[in-house]
């Protein structure tokens, strides 16, 4: 069985499609399993935008029982970066995450791109991200 063109269900574009769960399509970015962590996901706005809040949604395997600890698929350690002018700045560094949704309030930041650097998961060898949303300041 061969698909032409090949199906690519776990591409980075999934994190900006507005759907944060498998619903008719996987709607998730899964990093290249042949490459070790850390892995990066970059969203280029094309031009500077004022960003006030960044919302991240990770895979917590909603079928996983919390009593047994964090879902192995969930991103544990990560850094959130922004391209400001010609340089990349660290906005947040998080270690020990086990939550599905993380919100980072930035104030008002002029950025032309965001980068999520997944450094480690709670056991899975690939980074798994459902969604990255950037909102202007309130």
């Amino acid at each position: 069985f061969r698909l032409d063109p090949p199906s690519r269900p776990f591409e980075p574009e999934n994190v900006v499609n507005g759907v944060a769960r498998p619903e008719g399509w996987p709607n998730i970015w899964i990093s290249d399993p042949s490459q070790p962590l850390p892995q990066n996901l970059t969203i280029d706005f094309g031009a500077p935008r004022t960003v006030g809040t960044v919302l991240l949604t990770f895979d917590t395997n909603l079928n996983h029982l919390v009593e047994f600890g964090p879902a192995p698929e969930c991103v544990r350690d990560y850094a959130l970066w922004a391209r400001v002018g010609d340089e990349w700045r660290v906005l947040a560094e998080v270690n020990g995450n086990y939550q599905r949704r993380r919100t980072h309030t930035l104030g008002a930041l002029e950025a032309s791109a965001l980068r999520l650097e997944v450094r480690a998961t709670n056991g899975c060898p690939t980074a798994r991200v459902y969604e990255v949303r950037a909102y202007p300041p309130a």
Side-chain angles (χ1 to χ4, degrees):
F1 182 81
R2 185 182 308 174
L3 289 177
D4 190 20
S7 177
R8 301 191 190 288
F10 307 116
E11 293 297 304
E13 294 81 13
N14 289 338
V15 302
V16 294
N17 72 6
V19 183
R21 64 182 119 8
E23 186 177 281
W25 187 252
N27 299 312
I28 190 172
W29 169 65
I30 299 178
S31 66
D32 183 347
S34 70
Q35 300 297 316
L37 296 175
Q39 293 268 338
N40 295 313
L41 176 68
T42 301
I43 298 170
D44 192 327
F45 299 137
R49 292 188 182 181
T50 305
V51 178
T53 303
V54 176
L55 183 134
L56 306 171
T57 305
F58 301 122
D59 184 4
T60 54
N61 186 351
L62 296 177
N63 295 319
H64 181 79
L65 297 175
V66 176
E67 297 90 85
F68 298 119
E73 299 86 353
C74 187
V75 171
R76 185 187 74 203
D77 304 336
Y78 67 92
L80 181 62
W81 299 74
R83 187 171 56 214
V84 179
D86 292 331
E87 64 182 38
W88 285 95
R89 291 189 195 165
V90 176
L91 304 177
E93 291 183 286
V94 175
N95 294 309
N97 178 59
Y98 59 89
Q99 297 176 349
R100 178 173 172 78
R101 296 193 98 182
R102 296 299 304 250
T103 302
H104 296 280
T105 304
L106 311 173
L109 177 74
E110 283 290 315
S112 58
L114 293 174
R115 176 175 292 151
L116 177 64
E117 176 188 15
V118 176
R119 297 174 175 168
T121 67
N122 285 293
C124 186
T126 56
R128 294 167 178 248
V129 180
Y130 272 107
E131 177 174 62
V132 177
R133 291 187 181 210
Y135 296 102

